[in-house]
Amino acid sequence: QVQLVQSGGGSVQAGGSLRLSCAIFEYSSSVACLGWFRQTPGKKREGVAIIESDTSTRYDDSVKGRFTITKDSADNTLNLQMNSLKIEDTAMYYCAARAGSCRRWTLQELENLFGYWGQGTQVTVSS
């Protein structure tokens, strides 16, 4: 069973940077798509970025050019580098893994298609 353990996050002022990491245990070759999602109180969890097994990436328009998703194959770690953070980036962030590609769906359609989730980590951006 794939297990995801998150680290990183915290509080930062607007314009600052944070890095989220997600250690992937019991990694399976069936995992073909990894992603980061975020959720604010009262709202649906939304897709932020995904990375396929061929390292192709996709980003939500709200974070494009500011966030970078990477996967370190040597230690099976998924990362999200967040730069130029804005107050509206404040949310609980989750990493996720999916057995199968994400190519057929938009980021906003993917939330229900990921079977493995990290525990979540809070990111708070203040003015």
Side-chain angles (χ1 to χ4, degrees):
Q1 171 110 356
V2 176
Q3 295 183 28
L4 307 176
V5 179
Q6 296 179 225
S7 60
S11 299
V12 68
Q13 287 191 316
S17 299
L18 284 173
R19 184 178 178 85
L20 304 182
S21 293
C22 176
I24 307 168
F25 296 95
E26 304 299 331
Y27 183 84
S28 168
S29 60
S30 67
V31 172
C33 182
L34 298 165
W36 288 97
F37 293 76
R38 65 186 180 187
Q39 188 173 27
T40 53
K43 291 191 175 181
K44 182 184 175 184
R45 193 155 47 185
E46 62 177 11
V48 174
I50 61 100
I51 184 166
E52 301 273 4
S53 56
D54 65 357
T55 72
S56 60
T57 58
R58 273 191 283 159
Y59 297 90
D60 184 77
D61 286 344
S62 65
V63 306
K64 205 172 290 183
R66 300 187 297 120
F67 289 13
T68 303
I69 185 172
T70 57
K71 180 182 179 296
D72 187 332
S73 297
D75 61 5
N76 287 332
T77 301
L78 178 70
N79 302 297
L80 185 69
Q81 179 65 41
M82 305 183 291
N83 298 329
S84 301
L85 281 160
K86 303 177 180 179
I87 292 174
E88 51 264 41
D89 294 319
T90 296
M92 184 71 77
Y93 283 72
Y94 298 88
C95 62
R98 181 172 188 275
S101 170
C102 293
R103 298 186 198 282
R104 291 175 56 191
W105 297 276
T106 67
L107 277 178
Q108 303 320 315
E109 293 172 328
L110 283 168
E111 193 259 342
N112 292 327
L113 300 176
F114 277 76
Y116 305 101
W117 292 88
Q119 78 275 20
T121 187
Q122 179 68 35
V123 170
T124 302
V125 185
S126 60
S127 58

